[in-house]
Amino acid sequence: MERFQFHLETMKALQKMKFQKPTEIQQAVIPVIQKGLSVIGQSKTGSGKTHAYLLPIFEKINTDIQSVQAVIITPTRELADQIFTACTRLNQERTKPLDIRIYVGGSNKQKSIIQLKVQPQIVIGTPGRIHDLIRSNDLNVHKAEILVIDEADLIFDMGFLFDVDQIAKSMPKQLQFCVFSATIPEKLKPFLRKYMENPIHVHIRSNVPTVEEITQYLIYEKSREKIDVLCDLMQVLNPYICMIFTNTKKSAETLEMALAERGIRVGKIHGDLDARERKRVMKQIRDLAYTYIVATDLAARGIDIPGVSHVINYELPQDLDFYIHRIGRTARAGAAGDAFSIVNYSDEDQLNQLEKRNIPLMVVQVKQGEIQVVGPRHKRKLRKKNMDEVEQVLKQRIQKPKKVKPGYKKKLEQERTRMKHRLKRSQKSSGGKKR
């Protein structure tokens, strides 16, 4: 961190937080923001994007000016809380702490308005509430020089782009615009072009698209109910905290009720929970009241839950980028983690796409109260292909006679069994090599 020439107070705070060396995104982005340039910082979840913009912003704030100098917009209240907490830690060694305030939906708006008689120096919050306070002329951002949009693609997905646009319009034309996201969807690019002229685009690509410490498993439903497969898995896992992901709020509600009927108490996080309920659930989660949490993709990106040891995809996400975000909730800060996906044969195309991204998928089953490894998915595909070939050969070799003699079915099954045994022996002798 010495190379960035931070103030002594900032360095003391970093030492207290045990920051030893910058991450890739921090190495690339901090100098750009220090120079006053606009930047698009793109890297995977958990790569250190938050401190990549907080550290240079802290250095830029003029403590002698009591006005809004930087605005940080986030898609969710929980993420705003996390950024505010990070700011509080950076502030702890300052002889003259920065005035940092948080404004999110569901909080006491009237109390915020009273406090805004004195303007803060850094504003953190959700788009709707910040826009609301600007529109009522209570929050004055017309002199702020830095605007940060964190998790920009999620802000777009959640429909907050209009509010962000109105906030940006209220700020100076010569604005340092900093956008951070794991992905930059095409539909977001026109908005970025509107406010960013020749930004520096920092894209940290990884040869391994997922955290190396995460072991990824597949469990096939076969002919069983998915809820039964999930419950069997939950009985053999011993997680610190396990997140179970569904694709929709309705699915999350249905799954929670189904588990409750089986006597399993779980936490629940999705976008339809009101502010008070979400705050209550998050407190319970941090107090370790729940071992299992049913969640939608809101929790894959907009909420950080510490201590997640396991992730279960009850449903594979339609956007496979969210598969990466989901499993990235575990194996944080160098810890190991396990990710399970409950799948069926209709998921094969998505699984093929994941494997094309060099994501290793190990097939397992829960049997006799333990998790048993079946093998890599490619072996399972090879075995299925060979079994299909056996069936074709059987059809050719064993033609049904015009007049069926007694014992025909028995002979057919005996021949089928012999061929399958030969296939298994040949696979075993070849060592299960890829073809």
Side-chain angles (χ1 to χ4, degrees):
M1 290 292 185
E2 287 80 6
R3 59 175 286 214
F4 301 121
Q5 299 182 334
F6 293 140
H7 293 144
L8 181 60
E9 293 171 329
T10 301
M11 291 302 296
K12 285 181 179 179
L14 290 173
Q15 288 171 5
K16 193 170 183 178
M17 295 160 62
K18 298 183 179 178
F19 269 57
Q20 295 180 341
K21 63 179 183 178
T23 65
E24 283 187 86
I25 189 72
Q26 290 164 4
Q27 288 183 53
V29 165
I30 289 174
V32 176
I33 298 179
Q34 285 178 324
K35 291 175 184 176
L37 302 173
S38 291
V39 64
I40 299 173
Q42 188 177 349
S43 66
K44 64 185 180 182
T45 301
S47 59
K49 292 191 289 289
T50 301
H51 283 92
Y53 62 78
L54 280 185
L55 288 166
I57 285 175
F58 260 64
E59 299 295 294
K60 283 173 169 286
I61 299 300
N62 187 337
T63 55
D64 295 328
I65 299 175
Q66 192 63 46
S67 66
V68 179
Q69 298 173 52
V71 177
I72 301 169
I73 301 174
T74 76
T76 67
R77 309 172 189 95
E78 291 80 11
L79 185 55
D81 284 334
Q82 290 159 32
I83 297 168
F84 183 76
T85 299
C87 286
T88 302
R89 290 172 180 163
L90 288 175
N91 227 359
Q92 60 188 341
E93 296 296 325
R94 287 182 170 263
T95 53
K96 189 177 181 181
L98 302 183
D99 188 347
I100 305 164
R101 300 185 211 166
I102 182 170
Y103 302 111
V104 297
S107 60
N108 190 323
K109 182 182 174 183
Q110 197 57 40
K111 184 179 178 180
S112 298
I113 290 172
I114 294 169
Q115 292 174 343
L116 281 169
K117 289 178 180 178
V118 177
Q119 295 286 300
Q121 292 164 325
I122 298 178
V123 170
I124 303 165
T126 49
R129 177 52 58 91
I130 291 177
H131 178 210
D132 198 19
L133 291 171
I134 292 171
R135 190 170 47 191
S136 63
N137 295 317
D138 293 297
L139 181 63
N140 188 342
V141 299
H142 75 279
K143 292 183 180 180
E145 297 178 350
I146 303 171
L147 175 62
V148 176
I149 303 177
D150 201 353
E151 301 289 8
D153 53 352
L154 192 57
I155 281 178
F156 174 80
D157 288 339
M158 296 175 73
F160 292 138
L161 213 54
F162 172 78
D163 291 311
V164 175
D165 185 45
Q166 296 303 304
I167 294 167
K169 283 180 179 178
S170 305
M171 299 175 76
K173 288 185 178 180
Q174 299 302 316
L175 183 64
Q176 186 175 6
F177 213 99
C178 304
V179 176
F180 290 85
S181 189
T183 60
I184 305 294
E186 283 296 323
K187 292 181 180 179
L188 183 62
K189 290 179 180 178
F191 172 82
L192 299 181
R193 284 195 293 268
K194 179 179 178 181
Y195 289 101
M196 304 179 80
E197 186 175 347
N198 300 319
I200 306 298
H201 190 165
V202 175
H203 189 180
I204 304 300
R205 294 177 173 87
S206 174
N207 292 330
V208 181
T210 56
V211 183
E212 291 180 1
E213 290 80 8
I214 303 174
T215 308
Q216 297 165 69
Y217 300 107
L218 299 178
I219 299 181
Y220 280 84
E221 294 176 46
K222 296 183 179 177
S223 58
R224 304 183 62 205
E225 291 288 333
K226 183 177 281 193
I227 185 68
D228 293 329
V229 178
L230 174 63
C231 289
D232 285 350
L233 179 59
M234 291 170 74
Q235 285 180 0
V236 298
L237 293 181
N238 185 28
Y240 187 75
I241 292 178
C242 175
M243 299 191 68
I244 307 170
F245 282 102
T246 65
N247 288 343
T248 65
K249 302 161 192 172
K250 185 177 179 181
S251 295
E253 294 279 358
T254 302
L255 180 56
E256 186 216 18
M257 287 189 290
L259 291 171
E261 288 174 359
R262 294 165 183 247
I264 303 171
R265 184 170 173 264
V266 298
K268 176 182 61 181
I269 303 172
H270 60 65
D272 273 358
L273 299 180
D274 61 37
R276 182 177 295 180
E277 178 67 8
R278 269 167 67 175
K279 191 172 183 179
R280 183 186 68 79
V281 171
M282 288 304 299
K283 184 180 184 305
Q284 288 178 324
I285 289 169
R286 292 191 175 100
D287 291 342
L288 301 179
Y290 302 111
T291 301
Y292 291 92
I293 303 158
V294 174
T296 59
D297 285 316
L298 168 70
R301 295 287 306 282
I303 299 174
D304 187 24
I305 297 173
V308 176
S309 58
H310 295 72
V311 167
I312 299 174
N313 289 305
Y314 190 69
E315 299 170 320
L316 282 179
Q318 294 176 345
D319 182 347
L320 291 181
D321 283 336
F322 272 96
Y323 176 87
I324 310 299
H325 301 320
R326 287 179 181 185
I327 70 170
R329 293 298 89 195
T330 186
R332 311 279 279 191
D338 292 326
F340 294 84
S341 297
I342 302 175
V343 298
N344 57 42
Y345 298 117
S346 65
D347 297 315
E348 291 298 307
D349 287 343
Q350 286 174 291
L351 297 176
N352 289 335
Q353 291 300 315
L354 287 175
E355 287 190 331
K356 284 180 181 178
R357 299 187 184 195
N358 296 320
I359 296 175
L361 300 170
M362 183 70 69
V363 180
V364 296
Q365 61 184 356
V366 178
K367 197 170 183 180
Q368 297 176 344
E370 63 180 15
I371 296 172
Q372 299 180 356
V373 175
V374 176
R377 178 172 173 265
H378 67 80
K379 287 187 179 180
R380 182 190 161 277
K381 289 193 294 183
L382 178 61
R383 185 165 60 251
K384 185 178 184 300
K385 180 182 177 183
N386 286 338
M387 294 307 293
D388 289 342
E389 290 173 356
V390 168
E391 293 300 326
Q392 291 297 323
V393 172
L394 281 171
K395 287 180 181 178
Q396 293 172 5
R397 289 189 183 179
I398 310 173
Q399 297 289 335
K400 185 176 179 180
K402 294 180 180 179
K403 292 184 179 180
V404 177
K405 296 180 180 180
Y408 163 74
K409 288 186 177 180
K410 186 177 179 180
K411 289 180 181 179
L412 178 65
E413 286 305 315
Q414 287 173 345
E415 180 63 17
R416 191 187 302 272
T417 301
R418 281 195 293 272
M419 289 190 71
K420 287 181 178 179
H421 281 319
R422 286 197 294 272
L423 172 65
K424 286 181 180 179
R425 285 198 299 272
S426 67
Q427 286 181 335
K428 195 171 182 180
S429 63
S430 66
K433 295 179 180 178
K434 294 182 183 179
R435 291 203 298 180

